[in-house]
Amino acid sequence: EKKIEEMSIDPAVQEILQLASEKGYETVWDRLNSQSPHCKFGLNGLCCKNCIMGPCRITPKTTTGVCGAEADTIVARNIVRGIAAGVAAHSDHGRAVAILLKEVACQENKDYTIFDTEKLKAVATKLGVDTDRDIHEIAKDVAEIALKDFGKQDDKPLKFLASYAPKKRLERWLDLEKKLYSETDKKTGVIPRNIDREVADSMHRTTMGVDHDPLSLLIQGVRASLADGWGGSLIATELQDILFGTPRIRTIMANLGVISPDHINIVIHGHEPILSEKVVEIANTPDMQKLAQEYGAKGINVVGMCCTGNEILMRQGVPVAGNELHQELAILTGAVEAIVVDVQCIYPALGKLAKCFHTKFISTSDRAKFPGSLHIQFEEEHANEVAKKIVKTAIEAFPKRDKRKVHIPSFKSEAVVGFSNEQLLKILGGSLKPLVDAILAGDIKGIAGIVGCNNPKVKHDYYHVTLTKELIKRDILVIGTGCWAIAAAKAGLMRIETQELAGERLRKVCKALNIPPVIHMGSCVDCSRMLTLAGAIADYLEADISDLPLVGSAPEWTTEKAVSIGTYFVASGVPVHLWPAPPISGSPKVVSLLTQEIKNLLGGYFFVEEDPIKTVDIMEAIIQEKRKAL
Ligand code: NFS
């Protein structure tokens, strides 16, 4: 059993874990303990349960499954299925936004509006949509193009990918398709045709008795991941900006200390701002605030968690209570009236835990129901009404709060957030030139994008924070999203003062621009912002993304979505670090494909390293090598 200091570096987390252990509340760390040691077949990717002749596991004695599938096939199939699941999650999110935009454009939904017409026109222009028309007509066309990318049946590239990906990268994908075609005499596609189809194709070819060639399987994984990064996630980001506003720079507070002892606390957890934006809006209406006061509270305090937290902190400045591993801890403060969730990264354990407190665990999505939750179905067409019901439910729970159980850690940190590409460009005076010049001059040695989750197998936030500090020290600008961004915010790394932790040359650049050296770019679907930024720099230099001094990392990754993100960065030309190791070690062939051979095919590749300082050494070496060639 781990000591509390080994579980997390966050003092707020340590404080609540201490309380949990004294009072006997179970958390994710306890369940990890009960599950350890984990099954080696699963860890190495060597377990196949894709048909019922199995499940089969590969050992030195039994080297194939019942059907004859070897380790290479099984490992490749398993990883492609993981990618497909990640793509599905991000892209279903994107689809929901596209459908809503269309309904708003057709004025079938009056609870939402087209908020950012400037962004709408910018997106429309990129897609080749005529902007000299009524806003609603433009929005309808943009939404329809997005929806077609989910449903069209021709073999042409996704329209969003074709419109957003940088020129040289598109050429590289096309060349690779040609090369694979001639070498293997099969049609092996790299460029996604239809977001849903790439998920379906991945599921089809990994079912029993279809594709057994590890390269062919992994290339489909690449194609599916590109349908996420330059498809579903990109659509989510761009259309959310249109509906809710493109993020602007602002200062927010992060960590459990944002929970208020005197207010009704609503934690919004999950992913889709379609829900969280509404809850924020409705909770802040005078009616609701007044009702809260009638119930004896000072008012309503909405705070975010995980990626939906990132969405509302980027656009509305809502404080964030924590990242993935905080979700149970927020309830344990005893001061949360409601934890409201939609989809993804939500532990089903919340149901049981909430029952120990007065906390209402409110599920809202028809595709995400939980034992022990109170389900209030969210409906976009009645968003205001449903959000009111949710907020009222939280208010009504307040009198049942047990003051003796309240324990809110005081820790919270300030963070400067809201760096959309539009904001970055504005800071740079309207052109990428100052950024590119700083890169060419070596004042910014390179850029590292850090993404993804927390994982109780890794000391919470330790990797995120150590990696970030070491990178900026070496003049490498750090940008990122997701639970990494919340970790960095909590650790105080997104304050202007963090300039002092940066190397001399990076510090000078950040001082001139008045930005921290650690840049919050949003939620996980906003990894698309990093892709388009990389693409813009590449186009500016008439280079390919793989020529640029860029590296990526998912150092505490958990979800299948993170596998998709890592893969689309690799497929877009960026070397990507992973820790923990992905479940592929059972096939030396798959390992060498993903860590070496893929480099010649796509420019990017994966590497695995447990030590954060060694990781930065590797990243710096990659960056130096790319700089020489620049
Ligand atoms: Ni992305 Fe990781 Fe979840 Fe967000 Fe956090 S766990 S893959 S970072 S909240 S999606």
Side-chain angles (χ1 to χ4, degrees), residues 412-482:
K412 57 182 170 183
S413 260
E414 211 175 70
V416 180
V417 303
F419 292 92
S420 54
N421 291 344
E422 289 82 350
Q423 276 287 286
L424 276 174
L425 215 56
K426 205 170 152 199
I427 295 168
L428 294 167
S431 148
L432 279 178
K433 190 172 185 303
L435 176 65
V436 173
D437 287 349
I439 295 172
L440 292 177
D443 292 333
I444 296 176
K445 199 182 282 169
I447 304 178
I450 316 183
V451 304
C453 333
N454 294 130
N455 186 327
K457 289 179 174 175
V458 180
K459 192 198 277 185
H460 173 230
D461 285 355
Y462 167 71
Y463 219 131
H464 285 318
V465 168
T466 314
L467 202 60
T468 304
K469 281 188 180 162
E470 189 63 25
L471 283 162
I472 59 171
K473 201 162 99 189
R474 302 192 200 185
D475 293 320
I476 297 166
L477 180 71
V478 181
I479 64 176
T481 61

Coordinates of all heavy atoms in Angstrom, one line a residue, residues 412-482:
K412 N -5.8 26.7 -3.3 CA -6.2 27.1 -4.7 C -5.2 28.0 -5.3 O -4.5 28.7 -4.6 CB -7.6 27.7 -4.7 CG -7.8 28.9 -3.9 CD -9.2 29.4 -4.0 CE -9.5 30.5 -3.0 NZ -10.8 31.0 -3.0
S413 N -5.1 27.9 -6.6 CA -4.0 28.7 -7.3 C -4.6 29.5 -8.4 O -5.6 29.1 -9.0 CB -3.0 27.7 -7.9 OG -1.9 27.6 -7.1
E414 N -4.0 30.6 -8.7 CA -4.4 31.5 -9.8 C -3.8 30.9 -11.1 O -2.7 30.4 -11.1 CB -3.8 32.9 -9.5 CG -4.7 34.0 -10.0 CD -4.1 35.3 -9.6 OE1 -3.0 35.7 -10.1 OE2 -4.7 36.0 -8.7
A415 N -4.5 31.1 -12.2 CA -4.0 30.7 -13.5 C -4.5 31.6 -14.6 O -5.7 31.9 -14.6 CB -4.4 29.2 -13.8
V416 N -3.6 31.9 -15.5 CA -4.0 32.7 -16.7 C -4.3 31.7 -17.8 O -3.5 30.8 -18.1 CB -2.8 33.6 -17.2 CG1 -3.3 34.4 -18.4 CG2 -2.4 34.5 -16.0
V417 N -5.5 31.7 -18.3 CA -6.0 30.7 -19.2 C -6.7 31.4 -20.4 O -6.7 32.6 -20.5 CB -7.0 29.8 -18.5 CG1 -6.4 29.1 -17.3 CG2 -8.3 30.5 -18.2
G418 N -7.2 30.6 -21.3 CA -8.0 31.1 -22.5 C -7.2 31.3 -23.7 O -7.5 32.2 -24.5
F419 N -6.1 30.5 -23.9 CA -5.3 30.7 -25.1 C -5.8 30.0 -26.3 O -5.3 28.9 -26.7 CB -3.9 30.3 -24.8 CG -3.2 31.3 -23.8 CD1 -3.2 31.0 -22.5 CD2 -2.6 32.4 -24.3 CE1 -2.6 31.9 -21.6 CE2 -1.9 33.3 -23.4 CZ -2.0 33.0 -22.0
S420 N -6.8 30.5 -27.0 CA -7.2 30.0 -28.3 C -6.2 30.5 -29.3 O -5.4 31.4 -29.0 CB -8.6 30.5 -28.7 OG -8.6 31.9 -28.6
N421 N -6.1 29.9 -30.4 CA -5.2 30.3 -31.5 C -5.5 31.8 -31.8 O -4.5 32.5 -32.1 CB -5.2 29.4 -32.7 CG -4.7 28.1 -32.4 OD1 -4.0 27.9 -31.4 ND2 -5.0 27.1 -33.3
E422 N -6.7 32.1 -31.8 CA -7.1 33.5 -32.2 C -6.5 34.5 -31.2 O -6.0 35.6 -31.5 CB -8.7 33.6 -32.1 CG -9.4 32.9 -33.3 CD -9.6 31.4 -33.1 OE1 -9.0 30.9 -32.1 OE2 -10.3 30.8 -33.9
Q423 N -6.5 34.1 -29.9 CA -5.9 35.0 -28.8 C -4.4 35.0 -29.0 O -3.8 36.1 -28.9 CB -6.3 34.4 -27.4 CG -7.6 34.9 -26.9 CD -7.6 36.4 -26.6 OE1 -7.1 36.8 -25.5 NE2 -8.2 37.2 -27.4
L424 N -3.8 33.9 -29.3 CA -2.4 33.9 -29.4 C -2.0 34.8 -30.6 O -1.0 35.6 -30.4 CB -1.9 32.4 -29.7 CG -1.7 31.5 -28.5 CD1 -1.4 30.1 -29.0 CD2 -0.6 32.1 -27.6
L425 N -2.7 34.7 -31.6 CA -2.4 35.5 -32.8 C -2.5 37.0 -32.5 O -1.7 37.8 -32.9 CB -3.4 35.2 -33.9 CG -2.8 35.2 -35.4 CD1 -1.6 34.4 -35.5 CD2 -3.9 34.8 -36.4
K426 N -3.5 37.3 -31.6 CA -3.7 38.7 -31.2 C -2.5 39.2 -30.4 O -2.0 40.3 -30.6 CB -5.0 38.8 -30.4 CG -5.6 40.2 -30.5 CD -7.0 40.2 -29.9 CE -7.3 41.6 -29.3 NZ -8.4 41.5 -28.3
I427 N -2.1 38.4 -29.5 CA -1.0 38.7 -28.6 C 0.3 39.0 -29.5 O 1.1 39.8 -29.2 CB -0.6 37.6 -27.6 CG1 -1.8 37.4 -26.7 CG2 0.7 37.8 -26.9 CD1 -1.7 36.1 -25.8
L428 N 0.3 38.2 -30.6 CA 1.5 38.3 -31.5 C 1.4 39.4 -32.4 O 2.3 39.6 -33.3 CB 1.7 36.9 -32.2 CG 2.1 35.7 -31.4 CD1 1.9 34.4 -32.2 CD2 3.5 35.8 -30.8
G429 N 0.3 40.2 -32.3 CA 0.1 41.3 -33.2 C -0.4 41.0 -34.5 O -0.3 41.7 -35.5
G430 N -1.1 39.9 -34.6 CA -1.9 39.6 -35.8 C -1.1 38.6 -36.8 O -1.7 38.2 -37.8
S431 N 0.1 38.3 -36.5 CA 0.9 37.4 -37.4 C 1.7 36.4 -36.6 O 2.1 36.7 -35.5 CB 1.8 38.3 -38.3 OG 3.0 37.6 -38.6
L432 N 1.9 35.3 -37.3 CA 2.8 34.3 -36.6 C 4.2 34.6 -36.6 O 5.0 34.0 -35.9 CB 2.6 32.9 -37.3 CG 1.4 32.1 -37.0 CD1 1.4 30.8 -37.9 CD2 1.3 31.7 -35.5
K433 N 4.6 35.7 -37.3 CA 6.0 36.0 -37.5 C 6.8 36.1 -36.2 O 7.9 35.4 -36.1 CB 6.1 37.3 -38.3 CG 7.5 37.6 -38.8 CD 7.6 38.8 -39.8 CE 9.0 39.0 -40.3 NZ 10.0 39.2 -39.3
P434 N 6.3 36.8 -35.2 CA 7.2 36.9 -34.0 C 7.4 35.6 -33.4 O 8.5 35.3 -32.9 CB 6.3 37.8 -33.1 CG 5.3 38.5 -33.9 CD 5.1 37.7 -35.1
L435 N 6.4 34.7 -33.4 CA 6.6 33.3 -32.8 C 7.6 32.5 -33.6 O 8.5 31.9 -33.1 CB 5.2 32.6 -32.8 CG 5.2 31.2 -32.3 CD1 5.6 31.1 -30.8 CD2 3.8 30.5 -32.5
V436 N 7.4 32.5 -34.9 CA 8.3 31.8 -35.8 C 9.7 32.3 -35.7 O 10.7 31.5 -35.6 CB 7.8 31.8 -37.2 CG1 8.8 31.1 -38.2 CG2 6.5 31.1 -37.3
D437 N 9.8 33.6 -35.6 CA 11.2 34.2 -35.5 C 11.8 33.8 -34.2 O 13.0 33.5 -34.2 CB 11.1 35.8 -35.5 CG 10.8 36.3 -37.0 OD1 10.9 35.5 -37.9 OD2 10.5 37.5 -37.1
A438 N 11.0 33.8 -33.1 CA 11.6 33.4 -31.8 C 12.0 31.9 -31.9 O 13.0 31.5 -31.3 CB 10.6 33.6 -30.7
I439 N 11.3 31.1 -32.6 CA 11.7 29.7 -32.7 C 13.0 29.6 -33.6 O 13.9 28.9 -33.2 CB 10.6 28.8 -33.4 CG1 9.3 28.8 -32.5 CG2 11.0 27.4 -33.7 CD1 8.1 28.2 -33.1
L440 N 13.0 30.3 -34.7 CA 14.2 30.2 -35.5 C 15.4 30.7 -34.8 O 16.5 30.2 -35.0 CB 13.9 31.0 -36.8 CG 12.9 30.4 -37.8 CD1 12.6 31.3 -39.0 CD2 13.3 29.0 -38.2
A441 N 15.2 31.8 -34.0 CA 16.4 32.4 -33.3 C 16.8 31.5 -32.1 O 17.9 31.7 -31.6 CB 16.0 33.8 -32.8
G442 N 16.0 30.6 -31.7 CA 16.3 29.7 -30.6 C 15.9 30.3 -29.2 O 16.2 29.7 -28.2
D443 N 15.2 31.5 -29.2 CA 14.7 32.0 -28.0 C 13.6 31.0 -27.4 O 13.5 30.8 -26.2 CB 14.1 33.4 -28.2 CG 15.2 34.4 -28.5 OD1 16.4 34.1 -28.0 OD2 15.0 35.4 -29.1
I444 N 12.8 30.5 -28.4 CA 12.0 29.4 -28.0 C 12.6 28.2 -28.7 O 12.6 28.1 -29.9 CB 10.5 29.6 -28.6 CG1 9.8 30.7 -27.9 CG2 9.7 28.3 -28.4 CD1 8.4 31.0 -28.4
K445 N 13.2 27.3 -27.9 CA 14.0 26.2 -28.5 C 13.0 25.2 -29.3 O 13.4 24.7 -30.3 CB 14.7 25.4 -27.4 CG 15.8 24.6 -27.9 CD 16.5 23.8 -26.7 CE 17.4 24.7 -25.9 NZ 17.8 24.1 -24.6
G446 N 11.8 25.1 -28.7 CA 10.9 24.2 -29.3 C 9.6 24.3 -28.5 O 9.5 25.0 -27.6
I447 N 8.6 23.5 -29.0 CA 7.3 23.6 -28.3 C 6.9 22.1 -27.9 O 7.0 21.2 -28.7 CB 6.2 24.2 -29.1 CG1 6.6 25.6 -29.6 CG2 4.8 24.2 -28.4 CD1 5.5 26.3 -30.5
A448 N 6.5 21.9 -26.6 CA 6.0 20.6 -26.2 C 4.5 20.8 -25.9 O 4.1 21.7 -25.2 CB 6.8 20.2 -24.9
G449 N 3.8 19.9 -26.5 CA 2.3 19.8 -26.2 C 2.1 18.6 -25.2 O 2.4 17.5 -25.5
I450 N 1.6 18.9 -24.0 CA 1.3 17.9 -23.1 C -0.2 17.7 -22.9 O -0.9 18.8 -22.7 CB 2.0 18.1 -21.7 CG1 3.4 18.6 -21.9 CG2 1.9 16.9 -20.9 CD1 4.2 18.8 -20.6
V451 N -0.7 16.5 -22.9 CA -2.1 16.3 -22.9 C -2.5 15.2 -21.9 O -1.6 14.5 -21.3 CB -2.6 15.9 -24.3 CG1 -2.3 16.9 -25.3 CG2 -2.1 14.5 -24.6
G452 N -3.8 15.0 -21.7 CA -4.3 13.8 -21.1 C -4.5 13.8 -19.6 O -4.3 14.8 -19.0
C453 N -4.8 12.7 -19.2 CA -5.4 12.3 -18.0 C -4.6 12.4 -16.7 O -3.4 12.8 -16.8 CB -5.9 10.9 -18.2 SG -6.2 10.4 -19.9
N454 N -5.1 11.8 -15.7 CA -4.4 11.3 -14.5 C -4.6 9.8 -14.5 O -5.6 9.3 -15.0 CB -4.9 11.9 -13.2 CG -4.8 13.4 -13.0 OD1 -5.7 14.1 -12.7 ND2 -3.6 13.9 -13.2
N455 N -3.7 9.2 -13.8 CA -3.8 7.7 -13.6 C -3.3 7.4 -12.3 O -2.1 7.7 -11.9 CB -3.0 7.1 -14.7 CG -3.1 5.6 -14.8 OD1 -3.3 4.9 -13.7 ND2 -3.0 5.0 -16.0
P456 N -4.1 6.7 -11.4 CA -3.6 6.4 -10.1 C -2.3 5.5 -10.0 O -1.7 5.4 -9.0 CB -4.8 5.7 -9.4 CG -5.6 5.2 -10.5 CD -5.4 6.2 -11.7
K457 N -2.0 4.9 -11.2 CA -0.8 4.2 -11.2 C 0.5 5.1 -11.2 O 1.6 4.6 -10.9 CB -0.7 3.3 -12.5 CG -1.7 2.2 -12.6 CD -1.5 1.5 -13.9 CE -2.4 0.2 -14.0 NZ -2.3 -0.4 -15.4
V458 N 0.2 6.4 -11.6 CA 1.3 7.3 -11.6 C 1.0 8.3 -10.4 O -0.1 8.7 -10.2 CB 1.3 8.1 -12.9 CG1 2.4 9.2 -13.0 CG2 1.4 7.2 -14.1
K459 N 2.1 8.8 -9.7 CA 1.9 9.7 -8.7 C 1.1 11.0 -9.3 O 1.7 11.6 -10.2 CB 3.2 10.2 -8.0 CG 3.0 11.0 -6.8 CD 4.3 11.7 -6.4 CE 5.3 10.9 -5.7 NZ 6.4 11.7 -5.2
H460 N 0.0 11.2 -8.7 CA -0.9 12.2 -9.3 C -0.3 13.6 -9.5 O 0.3 14.1 -8.6 CB -2.1 12.4 -8.3 CG -3.1 13.5 -8.7 ND1 -3.5 14.4 -7.7 CD2 -3.7 13.8 -9.8 CE1 -4.3 15.2 -8.3 NE2 -4.5 14.9 -9.5
D461 N -0.3 14.1 -10.7 CA 0.2 15.4 -11.2 C 1.7 15.5 -11.2 O 2.3 16.4 -11.7 CB -0.3 16.5 -10.3 CG -1.8 16.9 -10.6 OD1 -2.3 16.3 -11.5 OD2 -2.3 17.7 -9.9
Y462 N 2.4 14.5 -10.6 CA 3.9 14.6 -10.5 C 4.5 14.6 -11.8 O 5.4 15.5 -12.1 CB 4.4 13.3 -9.7 CG 5.9 13.2 -9.8 CD1 6.8 14.1 -9.1 CD2 6.5 12.2 -10.6 CE1 8.1 14.0 -9.2 CE2 7.9 12.1 -10.7 CZ 8.7 13.0 -10.0 OH 10.0 12.8 -10.1
Y463 N 4.1 13.8 -12.7 CA 4.7 13.7 -14.1 C 4.4 15.0 -14.8 O 5.3 15.7 -15.4 CB 4.2 12.5 -14.8 CG 5.3 11.9 -15.6 CD1 5.5 10.5 -15.6 CD2 6.1 12.6 -16.5 CE1 6.5 9.9 -16.4 CE2 7.1 12.0 -17.3 CZ 7.3 10.6 -17.2 OH 8.2 10.0 -18.0
H464 N 3.1 15.4 -14.8 CA 2.7 16.6 -15.5 C 3.5 17.8 -15.0 O 4.0 18.6 -15.9 CB 1.2 16.9 -15.1 CG 0.2 16.0 -15.8 ND1 0.3 15.7 -17.1 CD2 -0.9 15.5 -15.4 CE1 -0.7 14.9 -17.5 NE2 -1.5 14.7 -16.4
V465 N 3.7 18.0 -13.7 CA 4.3 19.2 -13.2 C 5.8 19.1 -13.4 O 6.5 20.1 -13.8 CB 3.9 19.3 -11.7 CG1 4.8 20.4 -11.0 CG2 2.5 19.7 -11.6
T466 N 6.4 18.0 -13.1 CA 7.9 17.8 -13.3 C 8.3 18.1 -14.7 O 9.3 18.8 -15.0 CB 8.4 16.5 -12.8 OG1 7.7 16.2 -11.5 CG2 9.9 16.4 -12.6
L467 N 7.6 17.4 -15.6 CA 7.9 17.5 -17.0 C 7.8 19.0 -17.5 O 8.7 19.5 -18.1 CB 6.9 16.7 -17.8 CG 7.2 16.2 -19.2 CD1 8.4 15.3 -19.2 CD2 6.0 15.4 -19.7
T468 N 6.7 19.7 -17.0 CA 6.5 21.0 -17.4 C 7.6 22.0 -16.9 O 8.2 22.8 -17.7 CB 5.2 21.5 -16.9 OG1 4.2 20.6 -17.3 CG2 4.8 22.9 -17.4
K469 N 8.0 21.8 -15.7 CA 9.0 22.7 -15.1 C 10.3 22.5 -15.8 O 11.0 23.4 -16.1 CB 9.2 22.4 -13.6 CG 8.1 23.0 -12.7 CD 8.5 22.7 -11.3 CE 7.5 23.3 -10.3 NZ 7.7 22.7 -9.0
E470 N 10.7 21.2 -16.1 CA 12.0 20.9 -16.7 C 12.0 21.4 -18.1 O 13.0 21.9 -18.6 CB 12.2 19.4 -16.6 CG 13.6 19.0 -17.0 CD 14.7 19.5 -16.1 OE1 14.4 19.8 -14.9 OE2 15.9 19.6 -16.6
L471 N 10.9 21.3 -18.8 CA 10.9 21.8 -20.2 C 11.1 23.3 -20.3 O 11.9 23.8 -21.1 CB 9.5 21.4 -20.9 CG 9.4 19.9 -21.3 CD1 8.0 19.5 -21.5 CD2 10.2 19.6 -22.5
I472 N 10.3 24.1 -19.5 CA 10.4 25.5 -19.6 C 11.8 26.0 -19.1 O 12.4 26.9 -19.7 CB 9.3 26.3 -18.8 CG1 9.3 26.0 -17.4 CG2 8.0 26.0 -19.5 CD1 8.3 26.9 -16.6
K473 N 12.4 25.3 -18.2 CA 13.7 25.6 -17.7 C 14.7 25.5 -18.9 O 15.7 26.3 -19.0 CB 14.2 24.6 -16.7 CG 15.3 25.0 -15.8 CD 15.3 24.2 -14.5 CE 16.4 23.1 -14.6 NZ 16.3 22.1 -13.5
R474 N 14.4 24.6 -19.8 CA 15.3 24.5 -21.0 C 14.8 25.3 -22.2 O 15.1 24.9 -23.4 CB 15.4 23.0 -21.4 CG 16.0 22.1 -20.2 CD 16.3 20.8 -20.7 NE 16.4 19.8 -19.5 CZ 16.8 18.6 -19.7 NH1 17.1 18.1 -20.8 NH2 16.8 17.8 -18.6
D475 N 14.1 26.3 -22.0 CA 13.6 27.2 -23.0 C 12.6 26.5 -24.0 O 12.5 26.9 -25.2 CB 14.7 27.8 -23.8 CG 15.6 28.8 -23.0 OD1 15.0 29.5 -22.2 OD2 16.8 28.8 -23.1
I476 N 11.9 25.5 -23.6 CA 10.9 24.9 -24.4 C 9.5 25.3 -23.9 O 9.2 25.1 -22.8 CB 11.1 23.3 -24.4 CG1 12.4 22.9 -24.9 CG2 9.9 22.7 -25.1 CD1 12.8 21.5 -24.7
L477 N 8.8 26.0 -24.8 CA 7.5 26.5 -24.5 C 6.5 25.3 -24.3 O 6.6 24.3 -25.1 CB 7.0 27.4 -25.6 CG 5.6 28.0 -25.4 CD1 5.6 29.1 -24.4 CD2 5.1 28.6 -26.8
V478 N 5.7 25.3 -23.2 CA 4.8 24.2 -23.0 C 3.4 24.7 -23.2 O 2.9 25.7 -22.7 CB 5.0 23.6 -21.6 CG1 4.0 22.5 -21.4 CG2 6.4 23.2 -21.3
I479 N 2.7 23.9 -24.1 CA 1.3 24.2 -24.3 C 0.5 22.9 -24.0 O 1.2 21.8 -24.0 CB 1.0 24.6 -25.8 CG1 1.3 23.5 -26.8 CG2 1.8 25.9 -26.1 CD1 1.0 23.9 -28.2
G480 N -0.8 23.0 -23.8 CA -1.4 21.7 -23.5 C -2.9 21.9 -23.2 O -3.5 23.0 -23.2
T481 N -3.5 20.7 -22.9 CA -4.9 20.7 -22.6 C -5.3 19.7 -21.5 O -4.4 19.0 -20.9 CB -5.7 20.1 -23.9 OG1 -5.2 18.8 -24.1 CG2 -5.4 21.0 -25.1
G482 N -6.5 19.5 -21.3 CA -7.1 18.4 -20.5 C -6.7 18.4 -19.0 O -6.5 19.5 -18.4

